[in-house]
Amino acid sequence: MKKYRIGKSVLFTAIAISIFFLMDFYIEQLRYFIGALITMYGIDKAISFIDAEEKEKPLIVCGSIVQIILGICTMILFKEISTICVIWGVWAIMREGDEIAECYSLFKEKLPWILNFVESIVAIIFSITLIMEPGEHHAKIHMILLIVELLSAVILPQLVNLYKRYVKKDDEKEQK
């Protein structure tokens, strides 16, 4: 799984960088880009099945199947930018719900969670605007947010790992 996480980090970083340079192209091909992105997240969720606890596995399987189907349908069935923006916005809100649940888990373990939480709240607010006024302008704004989301998906887990390795370990030593 370590190699997979490294590959995922490289892929997410590459996508974020490509969005910066190819944003207009991605907007022109929004149905394929967002459809592929949703499908990729579904596959990523399916792979997380391997490390999941037994009680979480049915939710992971169902969630990944739904995301893969939604991604494929977005690429094949929908052509209107407004429809794709609504799908993108709703999917982003659903994904951020999972992120907020993860923030709660981090909070319970006394691990850093606030940056992830703030990013999730901002993403939800922008996703609501994407749903309310779907169109190219909001899609471009959401693309910029997507860069932040992809990079935070790479950086924030590393910050938590560093915190566990250096700060929390020192706290445990002091308590003994």
Side-chain angles (χ1 to χ4, degrees), residues 62-82:
C62 294
S64 63
I65 289 170
V66 167
Q67 285 191 62
I68 291 168
I69 291 169
L70 181 62
I72 291 169
C73 287
T74 301
M75 288 187 278
I76 296 171
L77 301 176
F78 305 112
K79 293 179 175 65
E80 294 294 321
I81 192 167
S82 59

mmCIF file with all atom_site columns, all heavy atoms in Angstrom, residues 62-82:
data_model
loop_
_atom_site.group_PDB
_atom_site.id
_atom_site.type_symbol
_atom_site.label_atom_id
_atom_site.label_alt_id
_atom_site.label_comp_id
_atom_site.label_asym_id
_atom_site.label_entity_id
_atom_site.label_seq_id
_atom_site.pdbx_PDB_ins_code
_atom_site.Cartn_x
_atom_site.Cartn_y
_atom_site.Cartn_z
_atom_site.occupancy
_atom_site.B_iso_or_equiv
_atom_site.pdbx_formal_charge
_atom_site.auth_seq_id
_atom_site.auth_comp_id
_atom_site.auth_asym_id
_atom_site.auth_atom_id
_atom_site.pdbx_PDB_model_num
ATOM 1   N N   . CYS A 1 62 ? -20.006 -0.144 -1.784  1.00 0.00 ? 62 CYS A N   1
ATOM 2   C CA  . CYS A 1 62 ? -21.162 0.560  -2.363  1.00 0.00 ? 62 CYS A CA  1
ATOM 3   C C   . CYS A 1 62 ? -20.784 1.961  -2.817  1.00 0.00 ? 62 CYS A C   1
ATOM 4   O O   . CYS A 1 62 ? -21.160 2.386  -3.919  1.00 0.00 ? 62 CYS A O   1
ATOM 5   C CB  . CYS A 1 62 ? -22.301 0.611  -1.345  1.00 0.00 ? 62 CYS A CB  1
ATOM 6   S SG  . CYS A 1 62 ? -22.988 -1.013 -0.973  1.00 0.00 ? 62 CYS A SG  1
ATOM 7   N N   . GLY A 1 63 ? -20.035 2.690  -1.992  1.00 0.00 ? 63 GLY A N   1
ATOM 8   C CA  . GLY A 1 63 ? -19.619 4.048  -2.360  1.00 0.00 ? 63 GLY A CA  1
ATOM 9   C C   . GLY A 1 63 ? -18.757 4.069  -3.603  1.00 0.00 ? 63 GLY A C   1
ATOM 10  O O   . GLY A 1 63 ? -18.921 4.928  -4.469  1.00 0.00 ? 63 GLY A O   1
ATOM 11  N N   . SER A 1 64 ? -17.847 3.121  -3.706  1.00 0.00 ? 64 SER A N   1
ATOM 12  C CA  . SER A 1 64 ? -16.965 3.099  -4.879  1.00 0.00 ? 64 SER A CA  1
ATOM 13  C C   . SER A 1 64 ? -17.740 2.731  -6.141  1.00 0.00 ? 64 SER A C   1
ATOM 14  O O   . SER A 1 64 ? -17.516 3.324  -7.202  1.00 0.00 ? 64 SER A O   1
ATOM 15  C CB  . SER A 1 64 ? -15.785 2.153  -4.666  1.00 0.00 ? 64 SER A CB  1
ATOM 16  O OG  . SER A 1 64 ? -16.215 0.826  -4.501  1.00 0.00 ? 64 SER A OG  1
ATOM 17  N N   . ILE A 1 65 ? -18.673 1.789  -6.043  1.00 0.00 ? 65 ILE A N   1
ATOM 18  C CA  . ILE A 1 65 ? -19.479 1.409  -7.207  1.00 0.00 ? 65 ILE A CA  1
ATOM 19  C C   . ILE A 1 65 ? -20.307 2.600  -7.689  1.00 0.00 ? 65 ILE A C   1
ATOM 20  O O   . ILE A 1 65 ? -20.362 2.887  -8.888  1.00 0.00 ? 65 ILE A O   1
ATOM 21  C CB  . ILE A 1 65 ? -20.379 0.200  -6.894  1.00 0.00 ? 65 ILE A CB  1
ATOM 22  C CG1 . ILE A 1 65 ? -19.527 -1.061 -6.750  1.00 0.00 ? 65 ILE A CG1 1
ATOM 23  C CG2 . ILE A 1 65 ? -21.453 -0.001 -7.957  1.00 0.00 ? 65 ILE A CG2 1
ATOM 24  C CD1 . ILE A 1 65 ? -20.263 -2.270 -6.202  1.00 0.00 ? 65 ILE A CD1 1
ATOM 25  N N   . VAL A 1 66 ? -20.919 3.324  -6.737  1.00 0.00 ? 66 VAL A N   1
ATOM 26  C CA  . VAL A 1 66 ? -21.738 4.490  -7.108  1.00 0.00 ? 66 VAL A CA  1
ATOM 27  C C   . VAL A 1 66 ? -20.872 5.545  -7.782  1.00 0.00 ? 66 VAL A C   1
ATOM 28  O O   . VAL A 1 66 ? -21.273 6.116  -8.814  1.00 0.00 ? 66 VAL A O   1
ATOM 29  C CB  . VAL A 1 66 ? -22.469 5.058  -5.870  1.00 0.00 ? 66 VAL A CB  1
ATOM 30  C CG1 . VAL A 1 66 ? -23.061 6.421  -6.162  1.00 0.00 ? 66 VAL A CG1 1
ATOM 31  C CG2 . VAL A 1 66 ? -23.554 4.087  -5.406  1.00 0.00 ? 66 VAL A CG2 1
ATOM 32  N N   . GLN A 1 67 ? -19.679 5.811  -7.247  1.00 0.00 ? 67 GLN A N   1
ATOM 33  C CA  . GLN A 1 67 ? -18.815 6.819  -7.866  1.00 0.00 ? 67 GLN A CA  1
ATOM 34  C C   . GLN A 1 67 ? -18.359 6.398  -9.260  1.00 0.00 ? 67 GLN A C   1
ATOM 35  O O   . GLN A 1 67 ? -18.316 7.225  -10.180 1.00 0.00 ? 67 GLN A O   1
ATOM 36  C CB  . GLN A 1 67 ? -17.597 7.100  -6.979  1.00 0.00 ? 67 GLN A CB  1
ATOM 37  C CG  . GLN A 1 67 ? -17.944 7.953  -5.772  1.00 0.00 ? 67 GLN A CG  1
ATOM 38  C CD  . GLN A 1 67 ? -16.718 8.441  -5.060  1.00 0.00 ? 67 GLN A CD  1
ATOM 39  O OE1 . GLN A 1 67 ? -15.914 9.179  -5.629  1.00 0.00 ? 67 GLN A OE1 1
ATOM 40  N NE2 . GLN A 1 67 ? -16.569 8.046  -3.805  1.00 0.00 ? 67 GLN A NE2 1
ATOM 41  N N   . ILE A 1 68 ? -18.013 5.145  -9.427  1.00 0.00 ? 68 ILE A N   1
ATOM 42  C CA  . ILE A 1 68 ? -17.584 4.669  -10.747 1.00 0.00 ? 68 ILE A CA  1
ATOM 43  C C   . ILE A 1 68 ? -18.731 4.791  -11.755 1.00 0.00 ? 68 ILE A C   1
ATOM 44  O O   . ILE A 1 68 ? -18.531 5.264  -12.878 1.00 0.00 ? 68 ILE A O   1
ATOM 45  C CB  . ILE A 1 68 ? -17.037 3.226  -10.651 1.00 0.00 ? 68 ILE A CB  1
ATOM 46  C CG1 . ILE A 1 68 ? -15.714 3.229  -9.872  1.00 0.00 ? 68 ILE A CG1 1
ATOM 47  C CG2 . ILE A 1 68 ? -16.855 2.613  -12.033 1.00 0.00 ? 68 ILE A CG2 1
ATOM 48  C CD1 . ILE A 1 68 ? -15.226 1.848  -9.452  1.00 0.00 ? 68 ILE A CD1 1
ATOM 49  N N   . ILE A 1 69 ? -19.929 4.386  -11.353 1.00 0.00 ? 69 ILE A N   1
ATOM 50  C CA  . ILE A 1 69 ? -21.091 4.512  -12.246 1.00 0.00 ? 69 ILE A CA  1
ATOM 51  C C   . ILE A 1 69 ? -21.360 5.977  -12.578 1.00 0.00 ? 69 ILE A C   1
ATOM 52  O O   . ILE A 1 69 ? -21.580 6.330  -13.747 1.00 0.00 ? 69 ILE A O   1
ATOM 53  C CB  . ILE A 1 69 ? -22.332 3.835  -11.630 1.00 0.00 ? 69 ILE A CB  1
ATOM 54  C CG1 . ILE A 1 69 ? -22.154 2.317  -11.602 1.00 0.00 ? 69 ILE A CG1 1
ATOM 55  C CG2 . ILE A 1 69 ? -23.605 4.222  -12.385 1.00 0.00 ? 69 ILE A CG2 1
ATOM 56  C CD1 . ILE A 1 69 ? -23.208 1.579  -10.787 1.00 0.00 ? 69 ILE A CD1 1
ATOM 57  N N   . LEU A 1 70 ? -21.324 6.846  -11.559 1.00 0.00 ? 70 LEU A N   1
ATOM 58  C CA  . LEU A 1 70 ? -21.561 8.271  -11.788 1.00 0.00 ? 70 LEU A CA  1
ATOM 59  C C   . LEU A 1 70 ? -20.515 8.857  -12.725 1.00 0.00 ? 70 LEU A C   1
ATOM 60  O O   . LEU A 1 70 ? -20.835 9.642  -13.633 1.00 0.00 ? 70 LEU A O   1
ATOM 61  C CB  . LEU A 1 70 ? -21.578 9.031  -10.459 1.00 0.00 ? 70 LEU A CB  1
ATOM 62  C CG  . LEU A 1 70 ? -21.844 10.528 -10.538 1.00 0.00 ? 70 LEU A CG  1
ATOM 63  C CD1 . LEU A 1 70 ? -23.221 10.809 -11.136 1.00 0.00 ? 70 LEU A CD1 1
ATOM 64  C CD2 . LEU A 1 70 ? -21.712 11.159 -9.162  1.00 0.00 ? 70 LEU A CD2 1
ATOM 65  N N   . GLY A 1 71 ? -19.257 8.472  -12.543 1.00 0.00 ? 71 GLY A N   1
ATOM 66  C CA  . GLY A 1 71 ? -18.197 8.978  -13.411 1.00 0.00 ? 71 GLY A CA  1
ATOM 67  C C   . GLY A 1 71 ? -18.377 8.543  -14.858 1.00 0.00 ? 71 GLY A C   1
ATOM 68  O O   . GLY A 1 71 ? -18.269 9.356  -15.786 1.00 0.00 ? 71 GLY A O   1
ATOM 69  N N   . ILE A 1 72 ? -18.702 7.280  -15.044 1.00 0.00 ? 72 ILE A N   1
ATOM 70  C CA  . ILE A 1 72 ? -18.902 6.769  -16.411 1.00 0.00 ? 72 ILE A CA  1
ATOM 71  C C   . ILE A 1 72 ? -20.127 7.427  -17.044 1.00 0.00 ? 72 ILE A C   1
ATOM 72  O O   . ILE A 1 72 ? -20.090 7.826  -18.216 1.00 0.00 ? 72 ILE A O   1
ATOM 73  C CB  . ILE A 1 72 ? -19.008 5.233  -16.390 1.00 0.00 ? 72 ILE A CB  1
ATOM 74  C CG1 . ILE A 1 72 ? -17.641 4.629  -16.020 1.00 0.00 ? 72 ILE A CG1 1
ATOM 75  C CG2 . ILE A 1 72 ? -19.492 4.696  -17.737 1.00 0.00 ? 72 ILE A CG2 1
ATOM 76  C CD1 . ILE A 1 72 ? -17.663 3.149  -15.712 1.00 0.00 ? 72 ILE A CD1 1
ATOM 77  N N   . CYS A 1 73 ? -21.202 7.555  -16.281 1.00 0.00 ? 73 CYS A N   1
ATOM 78  C CA  . CYS A 1 73 ? -22.412 8.215  -16.807 1.00 0.00 ? 73 CYS A CA  1
ATOM 79  C C   . CYS A 1 73 ? -22.127 9.664  -17.175 1.00 0.00 ? 73 CYS A C   1
ATOM 80  O O   . CYS A 1 73 ? -22.639 10.158 -18.184 1.00 0.00 ? 73 CYS A O   1
ATOM 81  C CB  . CYS A 1 73 ? -23.547 8.142  -15.786 1.00 0.00 ? 73 CYS A CB  1
ATOM 82  S SG  . CYS A 1 73 ? -24.261 6.498  -15.640 1.00 0.00 ? 73 CYS A SG  1
ATOM 83  N N   . THR A 1 74 ? -21.321 10.347 -16.363 1.00 0.00 ? 74 THR A N   1
ATOM 84  C CA  . THR A 1 74 ? -20.981 11.742 -16.666 1.00 0.00 ? 74 THR A CA  1
ATOM 85  C C   . THR A 1 74 ? -20.249 11.837 -17.999 1.00 0.00 ? 74 THR A C   1
ATOM 86  O O   . THR A 1 74 ? -20.529 12.733 -18.799 1.00 0.00 ? 74 THR A O   1
ATOM 87  C CB  . THR A 1 74 ? -20.134 12.344 -15.525 1.00 0.00 ? 74 THR A CB  1
ATOM 88  O OG1 . THR A 1 74 ? -20.872 12.265 -14.305 1.00 0.00 ? 74 THR A OG1 1
ATOM 89  C CG2 . THR A 1 74 ? -19.776 13.789 -15.806 1.00 0.00 ? 74 THR A CG2 1
ATOM 90  N N   . MET A 1 75 ? -19.346 10.907 -18.248 1.00 0.00 ? 75 MET A N   1
ATOM 91  C CA  . MET A 1 75 ? -18.596 10.938 -19.516 1.00 0.00 ? 75 MET A CA  1
ATOM 92  C C   . MET A 1 75 ? -19.476 10.598 -20.719 1.00 0.00 ? 75 MET A C   1
ATOM 93  O O   . MET A 1 75 ? -19.298 11.151 -21.790 1.00 0.00 ? 75 MET A O   1
ATOM 94  C CB  . MET A 1 75 ? -17.413 9.957  -19.458 1.00 0.00 ? 75 MET A CB  1
ATOM 95  C CG  . MET A 1 75 ? -16.301 10.415 -18.567 1.00 0.00 ? 75 MET A CG  1
ATOM 96  S SD  . MET A 1 75 ? -14.858 9.345  -18.665 1.00 0.00 ? 75 MET A SD  1
ATOM 97  C CE  . MET A 1 75 ? -15.323 8.015  -17.556 1.00 0.00 ? 75 MET A CE  1
ATOM 98  N N   . ILE A 1 76 ? -20.425 9.682  -20.527 1.00 0.00 ? 76 ILE A N   1
ATOM 99  C CA  . ILE A 1 76 ? -21.190 9.158  -21.663 1.00 0.00 ? 76 ILE A CA  1
ATOM 100 C C   . ILE A 1 76 ? -22.504 9.898  -21.896 1.00 0.00 ? 76 ILE A C   1
ATOM 101 O O   . ILE A 1 76 ? -22.854 10.216 -23.035 1.00 0.00 ? 76 ILE A O   1
ATOM 102 C CB  . ILE A 1 76 ? -21.458 7.653  -21.466 1.00 0.00 ? 76 ILE A CB  1
ATOM 103 C CG1 . ILE A 1 76 ? -20.143 6.886  -21.475 1.00 0.00 ? 76 ILE A CG1 1
ATOM 104 C CG2 . ILE A 1 76 ? -22.395 7.106  -22.537 1.00 0.00 ? 76 ILE A CG2 1
ATOM 105 C CD1 . ILE A 1 76 ? -20.265 5.426  -21.074 1.00 0.00 ? 76 ILE A CD1 1
ATOM 106 N N   . LEU A 1 77 ? -23.232 10.178 -20.819 1.00 0.00 ? 77 LEU A N   1
ATOM 107 C CA  . LEU A 1 77 ? -24.619 10.627 -20.962 1.00 0.00 ? 77 LEU A CA  1
ATOM 108 C C   . LEU A 1 77 ? -24.836 12.133 -20.955 1.00 0.00 ? 77 LEU A C   1
ATOM 109 O O   . LEU A 1 77 ? -25.813 12.605 -21.537 1.00 0.00 ? 77 LEU A O   1
ATOM 110 C CB  . LEU A 1 77 ? -25.479 10.012 -19.841 1.00 0.00 ? 77 LEU A CB  1
ATOM 111 C CG  . LEU A 1 77 ? -25.517 8.487  -19.789 1.00 0.00 ? 77 LEU A CG  1
ATOM 112 C CD1 . LEU A 1 77 ? -26.326 8.032  -18.576 1.00 0.00 ? 77 LEU A CD1 1
ATOM 113 C CD2 . LEU A 1 77 ? -26.079 7.910  -21.070 1.00 0.00 ? 77 LEU A CD2 1
ATOM 114 N N   . PHE A 1 78 ? -23.984 12.891 -20.296 1.00 0.00 ? 78 PHE A N   1
ATOM 115 C CA  . PHE A 1 78 ? -24.273 14.308 -20.093 1.00 0.00 ? 78 PHE A CA  1
ATOM 116 C C   . PHE A 1 78 ? -23.374 15.187 -20.944 1.00 0.00 ? 78 PHE A C   1
ATOM 117 O O   . PHE A 1 78 ? -22.157 14.991 -20.977 1.00 0.00 ? 78 PHE A O   1
ATOM 118 C CB  . PHE A 1 78 ? -24.126 14.666 -18.608 1.00 0.00 ? 78 PHE A CB  1
ATOM 119 C CG  . PHE A 1 78 ? -24.973 13.804 -17.718 1.00 0.00 ? 78 PHE A CG  1
ATOM 120 C CD1 . PHE A 1 78 ? -24.385 12.902 -16.850 1.00 0.00 ? 78 PHE A CD1 1
ATOM 121 C CD2 . PHE A 1 78 ? -26.351 13.863 -17.766 1.00 0.00 ? 78 PHE A CD2 1
ATOM 122 C CE1 . PHE A 1 78 ? -25.158 12.088 -16.029 1.00 0.00 ? 78 PHE A CE1 1
ATOM 123 C CE2 . PHE A 1 78 ? -27.129 13.047 -16.958 1.00 0.00 ? 78 PHE A CE2 1
ATOM 124 C CZ  . PHE A 1 78 ? -26.533 12.161 -16.086 1.00 0.00 ? 78 PHE A CZ  1
ATOM 125 N N   . LYS A 1 79 ? -23.990 16.161 -21.608 1.00 0.00 ? 79 LYS A N   1
ATOM 126 C CA  . LYS A 1 79 ? -23.243 17.053 -22.486 1.00 0.00 ? 79 LYS A CA  1
ATOM 127 C C   . LYS A 1 79 ? -23.297 18.509 -22.033 1.00 0.00 ? 79 LYS A C   1
ATOM 128 O O   . LYS A 1 79 ? -22.376 19.270 -22.288 1.00 0.00 ? 79 LYS A O   1
ATOM 129 C CB  . LYS A 1 79 ? -23.767 16.927 -23.915 1.00 0.00 ? 79 LYS A CB  1
ATOM 130 C CG  . LYS A 1 79 ? -23.490 15.573 -24.536 1.00 0.00 ? 79 LYS A CG  1
ATOM 131 C CD  . LYS A 1 79 ? -24.052 15.484 -25.939 1.00 0.00 ? 79 LYS A CD  1
ATOM 132 C CE  . LYS A 1 79 ? -23.697 14.214 -26.630 1.00 0.00 ? 79 LYS A CE  1
ATOM 133 N NZ  . LYS A 1 79 ? -24.196 12.991 -26.121 1.00 0.00 ? 79 LYS A NZ  1
ATOM 134 N N   . GLU A 1 80 ? -24.385 18.903 -21.398 1.00 0.00 ? 80 GLU A N   1
ATOM 135 C CA  . GLU A 1 80 ? -24.571 20.295 -20.982 1.00 0.00 ? 80 GLU A CA  1
ATOM 136 C C   . GLU A 1 80 ? -23.652 20.632 -19.817 1.00 0.00 ? 80 GLU A C   1
ATOM 137 O O   . GLU A 1 80 ? -23.611 19.908 -18.830 1.00 0.00 ? 80 GLU A O   1
ATOM 138 C CB  . GLU A 1 80 ? -26.023 20.553 -20.562 1.00 0.00 ? 80 GLU A CB  1
ATOM 139 C CG  . GLU A 1 80 ? -27.024 20.439 -21.683 1.00 0.00 ? 80 GLU A CG  1
ATOM 140 C CD  . GLU A 1 80 ? -26.840 21.513 -22.736 1.00 0.00 ? 80 GLU A CD  1
ATOM 141 O OE1 . GLU A 1 80 ? -26.536 22.671 -22.369 1.00 0.00 ? 80 GLU A OE1 1
ATOM 142 O OE2 . GLU A 1 80 ? -26.992 21.193 -23.927 1.00 0.00 ? 80 GLU A OE2 1
ATOM 143 N N   . ILE A 1 81 ? -22.942 21.758 -19.930 1.00 0.00 ? 81 ILE A N   1
ATOM 144 C CA  . ILE A 1 81 ? -22.025 22.163 -18.866 1.00 0.00 ? 81 ILE A CA  1
ATOM 145 C C   . ILE A 1 81 ? -22.774 22.377 -17.559 1.00 0.00 ? 81 ILE A C   1
ATOM 146 O O   . ILE A 1 81 ? -22.256 22.071 -16.481 1.00 0.00 ? 81 ILE A O   1
ATOM 147 C CB  . ILE A 1 81 ? -21.203 23.407 -19.269 1.00 0.00 ? 81 ILE A CB  1
ATOM 148 C CG1 . ILE A 1 81 ? -20.056 23.613 -18.270 1.00 0.00 ? 81 ILE A CG1 1
ATOM 149 C CG2 . ILE A 1 81 ? -22.078 24.632 -19.366 1.00 0.00 ? 81 ILE A CG2 1
ATOM 150 C CD1 . ILE A 1 81 ? -19.009 24.604 -18.725 1.00 0.00 ? 81 ILE A CD1 1
ATOM 151 N N   . SER A 1 82 ? -24.004 22.873 -17.618 1.00 0.00 ? 82 SER A N   1
ATOM 152 C CA  . SER A 1 82 ? -24.763 23.107 -16.383 1.00 0.00 ? 82 SER A CA  1
ATOM 153 C C   . SER A 1 82 ? -25.059 21.789 -15.665 1.00 0.00 ? 82 SER A C   1
ATOM 154 O O   . SER A 1 82 ? -24.954 21.712 -14.435 1.00 0.00 ? 82 SER A O   1
ATOM 155 C CB  . SER A 1 82 ? -26.056 23.875 -16.677 1.00 0.00 ? 82 SER A CB  1
ATOM 156 O OG  . SER A 1 82 ? -26.860 23.155 -17.583 1.00 0.00 ? 82 SER A OG  1
#
